[in-house]
Amino acid sequence: MAKQLQARRLNGIDHNPWVEFVRLSKEYDVVNLGQGFPDFSPPDFAVQAFQQATSGDFMLNQYTMAFGYPPLTKILASFFGKLLGQELDPLKNVLVTVGAYGALFTAFQALVDEGDEVIIIEPAFDCYEPMTLMAGGRPVFVSLRPSPAPKGQLEYSNDWQLDPTELASKFTPRTKALVLNTPNNPLGKVFSKMELELVADLCQQHDVLCISDEVYQWLVYDGHQHISIASLPGMWERTLTIGSAGKSFSATGWKVGWVMGPDNIMKHLRTVHQNSVFHCPTQAQAAVAQCFEREQQNFGQPSSYFLQLPKAMQLNRDHMIRSLQSVGLKPLVPQGSYFLIADISDFKTKMPNLPGAEDEPYDRRFAKWMIKNKGLVAIPVSIFFSQPHQKDFDHYIRFCFVKDEATLQAMDERLRKWKRELQP
Amino acid sequence: MFLVQRRLYSLVSRAKLLKTNALGFSTSAKMALRFKNAKRIEGLDSNVWVEFTKLAADPSVVNLGQGLPDISPPTYVKEELSKAALTDNLNQYTRGFGHPSLVKALSCLYEKIYQHPIDPNEEIVVTVGGYGSLLNAIQGLVDPGDEVIIMVPFYDCYAPMVRMAGATPVFIPLRSKPTDGVKWSSSDWTFNPQELESKFSSKTKAIILNTPHNPIGKVYTREELQVIADLCIKYDTLCISDEVYEWLVYTGHKHIKIATFPGMWDRTITIGSAGKTFSVTGWKLGWSIGPSHLIKHLQTVQQNTIYTCATPLQAALAQALWVDIKRMDDPECYFNSLPKELEVKRDRMVRLLNSVGLKPIIPDGGYFIIADVSSLDADLSDMKSDEPYDYKFVKWMTKNKKLSAIPVSAFCDSESKPQFEKLVRFCFIKKDSTLDAAEEIIKGWHSPKSDVNKRAFPSLL
């Protein structure tokens, strides 16, 4: 072909930073704490729900309603309506998508035009930027920045803050949307009410939409509360709230997500949906509906998975924090999500010249070195920053702790070996 | 930390006071304007399926509308999914471009058909149904300002997907050769080669081909495909070949892949569907096969849209494919047994429609049959007047006769609608009891052969 073969919307978004790490993880004998998904089973009730959906009524093998399997949209409307303080209509206010990823894609395509600006708070899940670009939008980044902790003390992800004046300065007449992710991947920060109010007020003042990625909403620790920005005054009418069955029920392979919002915005997402995937698989939706029925009945009780999972993950978090410190990694305590980041500045000082491409950020070189030499996989946090800022944030790596006890034990073994190798 | 909090607080308070902007306009008044949709979806909000599935949802309606089997998928297919549901490691994310065992099975299956190796990682991508493959292909390869040739009638998503990519659909109608009235077949429908060539311009990026064809059921012949291939090569365009009904071909016809023609592999994306292959439309798994220099762009779209498809469904599909890959020459192979089963149903529908004076177009493939309903001369004066005849007819038929179908003009661009508005599409991948019920309803109509009959059958008026 004389002209460029691929569509221009793919310019600059074909690169996948994960590919290299996935490949290396397979080549070496590793304990994989990089990939962001559980290596334990979903809860029994979820497994049973999927079993029932796949062995029951054979008509579940056929298309369901385009915008969501009715029992699922019904339960999502009821469950989240209570949490958001809104009367939700299953047809008008809820859309089921192929994972939260699919919800994000649908939102960007529906609402972001050529030249629109989208504010992305960094560090950010790495798909927000390419999805903005694919929709012809212009990503505008604003960083969360750490406040240094007193020496020798643990840092907390909530110490990473936005500068209010800086954030305000990012809003222009072209700003169409702001992407919020709380609890945040990779930091594990849970935005406080006050921080959300700041974002909310700016969105209202500048008439901007808020795309709120809340996939880790149940994973909050130390008594922190997840707050949906859509529940704040003036925000329901301008917010899209995204959730994930994969993260809620430790079943990422089911790829069921949802987005909720006011009908006048949701109708545009429905238009994209009917011109992109149209239907989502029926049986996985049926299983998720059943899981939510069960959680609705158990809501707030000790038997609720949405309480049991964070309880168990908090122990994993604490275990990992203790273990990582033993080799000189400096983990930051996350208040939410199932990730934590560890500061590798000391390693950057002691071993600055690790192999890697010219200009390759240190954290990527360190992560590759760690895979090859220490048998541990973690993800360099610079992946979650926009290109110009990567050099300022090249001294952190992200660990995932939604892992089986056996995996954490295996991690401990590698760390003990590492520690021995540190001693002269 | 305290200082930061104080600054935060004062900014929040200031923001609360700023309810009007610099020009003194209330910000809330502007709200509705700013939430306008992106331009790419302008005019794409209506959808025939959303409208008609709602209509047919009434359980007392015999639904021959949406292409949804009400027969059971084969037992081994259902069993593989049940097994997959119990396999723990299938509950988590798999490879984005396709679950390894699935792309391997697809590569093995299609290597036999294409007669050359197909790289499972570079030349295949697994998508959310055939629909998802169309999305990936169009988003990956079609730019604003491009033209994409679409033959009419067309599966209704082609045009809006092309528009959503900012491109212009260029339509060319299939036309029926005059028939002597005895037998009207989908092979009587074809395109005019000169007319087709006239549609190619310097802006043409791709042509979308659908064979076997929905809704007509046409199976493109070698000669027709050669014409299309020659034009694609002459004008250096891509071909997106939607072959989701590839196994559903009836006696006397053969499905031919345009990608196997000289010069075509390098410029063709061929789309397949688990839903249509195994009667499991609700699994929403499809695939695109093509050269790596094209597939890689569909993979880029994948990683920026849904990232990966559901794992247990892919694993189950892989196992189901292996069952049939091993017995492709066997009549028991589902790729062979399903078309045999459907041919019987097709023939039944043809007899039934003929018996009441409707003029069916006998499909050579697919699981739809369309019929000219004008001889029924139904009184549609109650229905909205600005809709095409077939829309009104189907709504009338659903409401009054409790039988649903899909208007063929839904598969047409606005210019072509008048040519097709007497045609209605029936789906026949239905169990016998459904077809029995449809038969009862249709036989309850008697086609008026003359005005005398119209008066004699006032129930039609």
Side-chain angles (χ1 to χ4, degrees):
Chain A
M1 280 229 141
K3 46 194 164 178
Q4 175 173 290
L5 187 59
Q6 72 273 23
R8 288 188 297 275
R9 69 180 64 80
L10 302 191
N11 288 354
I13 66 168
D14 51 340
H15 176 55
N16 186 331
W18 300 89
V19 168
E20 202 180 2
F21 290 92
V22 170
R23 186 180 50 84
L24 282 172
S25 311
K26 290 202 185 97
E27 270 174 43
Y28 290 83
D29 174 25
V30 296
V31 176
N32 200 329
L33 305 170
Q35 49 194 199
F37 54 88
D39 63 4
F40 50 75
S41 312
D44 286 341
F45 68 83
V47 173
Q48 274 157 37
F50 194 50
Q51 242 290 295
Q52 275 165 41
T54 56
S55 345
D57 177 10
F58 69 77
M59 284 308 289
L60 291 178
N61 286 293
Q62 307 307 334
Y63 293 129
T64 180
M65 294 296 107
F67 304 132
Y69 176 67
L72 177 56
T73 48
K74 186 160 185 265
I75 187 76
L76 288 172
S78 135
F79 193 97
F80 287 99
K82 292 194 190 75
L83 292 178
L84 296 175
Q86 291 285 332
E87 189 77 40
L88 296 184
D89 181 311
L91 292 174
K92 297 190 176 149
N93 303 122
V94 183
L95 176 67
V96 176
T97 54
V98 181
Y101 219 94
L104 287 160
F105 166 71
T106 308
F108 281 105
Q109 288 286 311
L111 301 164
V112 175
D113 251 321
E114 200 79 35
D116 281 349
E117 289 175 6
V118 176
I119 296 175
I120 297 174
I121 300 170
E122 322 191 84
F125 182 54
D126 65 305
C127 81
Y128 305 151
E129 181 183 0
M131 283 189 181
T132 300
L133 291 170
M134 194 169 150
R138 196 171 86 77
V140 171
F141 298 97
V142 59
S143 289
L144 288 159
R145 288 177 214 286
S147 339
K151 199 164 163 64
Q153 280 189 34
L154 275 174
E155 287 183 54
Y156 288 76
S157 62
N158 279 16
D159 292 340
W160 286 58
Q161 305 259 338
L162 288 169
D163 180 313
T165 315
E166 189 187 357
L167 176 62
S169 76
K170 301 293 180 178
F171 285 79
T172 77
R174 300 286 345 232
T175 309
K176 187 72 187 276
L178 176 146
V179 185
L180 175 69
N181 174 219
T182 179
N184 169 283
N185 172 10
L187 284 183
K189 174 185 172 65
V190 173
F191 281 70
S192 68
K193 184 148 193 264
M194 207 140 104
E195 288 169 316
L196 293 176
E197 280 170 345
L198 170 68
V199 171
D201 284 340
L202 286 166
C203 284
Q204 287 172 72
Q205 186 192 333
H206 295 276
D207 196 20
V208 162
L209 292 164
C210 182
I211 298 172
S212 187
D213 175 353
E214 304 185 8
V215 296
Y216 301 107
Q217 66 188 114
W218 316 114
L219 289 165
V220 286
Y221 313 120
D222 306 325
H224 286 270
Q225 291 268 356
H226 168 76
I227 301 166
S228 290
I229 197 170
S231 65
L232 298 186
M235 287 307 285
W236 168 253
E237 50 254 45
R238 60 180 64 251
T239 306
L240 292 171
T241 305
I242 292 172
S244 156
K247 308 292 192 271
S248 297
F249 299 109
S250 307
T252 60
W254 294 7
K255 286 295 290 185
V256 175
W258 53 83
V259 47
M260 301 173 294
D263 186 44
N264 66 315
I265 303 178
M266 290 299 295
K267 71 181 185 199
H268 303 314
L269 276 75
R270 292 193 288 269
T271 299
V272 172
H273 183 81
Q274 76 199 21
N275 290 300
S276 57
V277 297
F278 201 15
H279 299 89
C280 294
T282 312
Q283 286 140 324
Q285 292 186 68
V288 174
Q290 206 175 313
C291 290
F292 265 103
E293 294 282 352
R294 191 257 183 203
E295 279 303 296
Q296 187 166 67
Q297 276 162 29
N298 290 275
F299 192 74
Q301 292 163 45
S303 50
S304 157
Y305 190 67
F306 295 164
L307 290 178
Q308 288 175 344
L309 182 65
K311 197 158 172 241
M313 290 308 103
Q314 183 165 322
L315 296 173
N316 281 15
R317 175 197 72 167
D318 297 342
H319 176 156
M320 185 177 269
I321 288 171
R322 283 190 304 270
S323 299
L324 293 178
Q325 288 175 304
S326 68
V327 296
L329 289 161
K330 298 218 183 77
L332 276 74
V333 182
Q335 279 65 54
S337 86
Y338 46 54
F339 301 107
L340 59 82
I341 68 172
D343 188 327
I344 54 172
S345 310
D346 288 350
F347 289 92
K348 194 176 174 194
T349 311
K350 290 190 201 119
M351 336 183 286
N353 299 313
L354 289 177
E358 201 188 320
D359 282 352
E360 190 176 3
Y362 182 78
D363 57 343
R364 296 187 203 207
R365 291 186 271 140
F366 181 86
K368 285 190 255 187
W369 170 87
M370 194 172 74
I371 291 174
K372 294 175 186 171
N373 295 283
K374 304 299 174 189
L376 286 170
V377 185
I379 301 297
V381 171
S382 62
I383 283 178
F384 303 94
F385 279 91
S386 57
Q387 213 279 322
H389 297 151
Q390 284 170 8
K391 59 185 187 325
D392 299 326
F393 293 96
D394 67 346
H395 52 286
Y396 298 97
I397 53 177
R398 184 198 80 173
F399 289 88
C400 175
F401 53 86
V402 69
K403 303 293 175 187
D404 201 49
E405 183 58 31
T407 309
L408 298 181
Q409 300 288 356
M411 166 193 74
D412 284 343
E413 213 181 290
R414 304 286 164 122
L415 290 169
R416 278 192 292 268
K417 182 164 185 282
W418 186 344
K419 188 170 178 199
R420 284 195 298 273
E421 287 160 5
L422 286 173
Q423 272 137 24
Chain B
M1 172 96 132
F2 180 64
L3 278 172
V4 169
Q5 280 183 336
R6 278 235 318 239
R7 281 177 69 193
L8 211 104
Y9 189 74
S10 71
L11 211 92
V12 163
S13 316
R14 267 197 292 140
K16 276 185 170 28
L17 289 173
L18 284 166
K19 279 303 173 195
T20 59
N21 63 14
L23 293 172
F25 292 125
S26 158
T27 51
S28 60
K30 279 172 40 203
M31 191 157 74
L33 299 170
R34 286 292 297 272
F35 295 166
K36 203 166 148 35
N37 47 286
K39 291 190 197 69
R40 67 180 59 81
I41 57 171
E42 200 55 44
L44 305 187
D45 47 323
S46 75
N47 180 288
V48 62
W49 307 108
V50 175
E51 203 183 347
F52 282 91
T53 34
K54 239 194 285 192
L55 221 65
D58 176 351
S60 67
V61 170
V62 178
N63 192 346
L64 298 189
Q66 192 185 8
L68 184 152
D70 66 3
I71 58 173
S72 172
T75 307
Y76 60 92
V77 172
K78 292 187 289 183
E79 276 171 359
E80 288 303 337
L81 186 55
S82 291
K83 272 195 257 170
L86 285 175
T87 308
D88 188 41
N89 64 13
L90 297 178
N91 285 306
Q92 307 305 335
Y93 292 133
T94 184
R95 177 176 170 269
F97 307 143
H99 188 60
S101 67
L102 176 57
V103 293
K104 182 149 198 288
L106 288 168
S107 137
C108 185
L109 170 63
Y110 286 103
E111 280 177 352
K112 292 181 204 281
I113 297 167
Y114 284 82
Q115 303 263 293
H116 62 71
I118 295 177
D119 186 307
N121 295 320
E122 314 269 302
E123 296 177 328
I124 300 179
V125 59
V126 175
T127 55
V128 183
Y131 223 94
S133 271
L134 287 161
L135 173 78
N136 285 24
I138 292 169
Q139 287 284 314
L141 301 167
V142 175
D143 258 318
D146 283 349
E147 288 175 2
V148 176
I149 297 173
I150 296 175
M151 288 190 262
V152 184
F154 53 90
Y155 181 58
D156 70 299
C157 79
Y158 300 162
M161 279 195 181
V162 166
R163 292 201 168 97
M164 198 165 107
T168 306
V170 171
F171 300 104
I172 171 169
L174 290 167
R175 291 197 184 82
S176 177
K177 296 188 203 126
T179 58
D180 55 8
V182 174
K183 189 175 120 112
W184 199 11
S185 158
S186 60
S187 40
D188 293 323
W189 289 74
T190 190
F191 57 88
N192 178 306
Q194 285 75 37
E195 188 183 5
L196 180 58
E197 178 153 16
S198 76
K199 303 291 178 179
F200 282 77
S201 80
S202 59
K203 297 210 183 106
T204 309
K205 191 71 188 279
I207 178 168
I208 301 179
L209 172 66
N210 178 214
T211 179
H213 183 271
N214 175 10
I216 297 181
K218 174 184 175 56
V219 174
Y220 283 66
T221 64
R222 187 162 284 280
E223 292 70 33
E224 287 168 324
L225 293 175
Q226 191 62 66
V227 169
I228 296 170
D230 289 344
L231 288 169
C232 284
I233 292 166
K234 180 174 177 183
Y235 291 93
D236 194 20
T237 59
L238 299 172
C239 180
I240 298 171
S241 189
D242 176 353
E243 302 183 7
V244 296
Y245 301 103
E246 62 187 300
W247 309 110
L248 301 180
V249 175
Y250 305 122
T251 309
H253 300 276
K254 191 170 183 302
H255 173 71
I256 301 166
K257 289 183 173 296
I258 198 171
T260 58
F261 285 43
M264 288 307 285
W265 168 257
D266 284 331
R267 58 180 69 252
T268 307
I269 297 285
T270 306
I271 295 173
S273 157
K276 311 293 192 266
T277 298
F278 285 114
S279 307
V280 288
T281 59
W283 288 27
K284 284 296 294 194
L285 285 174
W287 48 85
S288 286
I289 295 179
S292 61
H293 64 264
L294 293 180
I295 292 291
K296 74 178 181 194
H297 302 309
L298 279 72
Q299 291 176 339
T300 299
V301 175
Q302 182 99 330
Q303 85 192 26
N304 291 294
T305 53
I306 54 125
Y307 206 86
T308 183
C309 294
T311 315
L313 292 163
Q314 292 188 71
L317 177 60
Q319 294 306 113
L321 282 167
W322 286 124
V323 170
D324 284 314
I325 289 170
K326 291 195 186 107
R327 54 178 188 176
M328 282 184 69
D329 293 325
D330 197 322
E332 289 287 297
C333 172
Y334 198 63
F335 308 156
N336 302 323
S337 67
L338 182 62
K340 287 274 163 294
E341 188 186 338
L342 290 179
E343 190 162 344
V344 172
K345 293 179 195 280
R346 175 198 73 166
D347 294 344
R348 179 182 176 176
M349 285 300 296
V350 170
R351 281 194 304 274
L352 172 58
L353 293 166
N354 269 323
S355 75
V356 294
L358 291 178
K359 291 198 289 177
I361 299 163
I362 303 168
D364 299 325
Y367 51 54
F368 301 107
I369 181 166
I370 66 181
D372 184 322
V373 297
S374 46
S375 66
L376 280 179
D377 207 21
D379 176 15
L380 308 178
S381 49
D382 271 353
M383 306 285 129
K384 264 163 62 183
S385 57
D386 57 344
E387 282 189 324
Y389 182 91
D390 51 354
Y391 271 71
K392 290 192 278 190
F393 180 85
V394 167
K395 288 183 184 175
W396 172 87
M397 185 173 71
T398 309
K399 188 170 157 210
N400 295 287
K401 300 295 179 189
K402 299 291 183 186
L403 176 65
S404 75
I406 297 291
V408 172
S409 64
F411 301 94
C412 300
D413 60 307
S414 42
E415 222 179 277
S416 313
K417 278 193 210 286
Q419 290 166 49
F420 294 91
E421 69 170 344
K422 293 292 160 59
L423 297 171
V424 160
R425 186 195 83 170
F426 298 93
C427 172
F428 56 86
I429 187 167
K430 301 289 178 185
K431 54 188 196 276
D432 287 340
S433 55
T434 307
L435 296 179
D436 292 342
E439 179 159 354
E440 223 181 279
I441 292 170
I442 292 175
K443 287 218 157 107
W445 267 318
H446 294 280
S447 160
K449 298 251 186 299
S450 67
D451 285 355
V452 172
N453 283 351
K454 249 198 258 180
R455 288 194 293 275
F457 296 91
S459 58
L460 284 173
L461 300 174

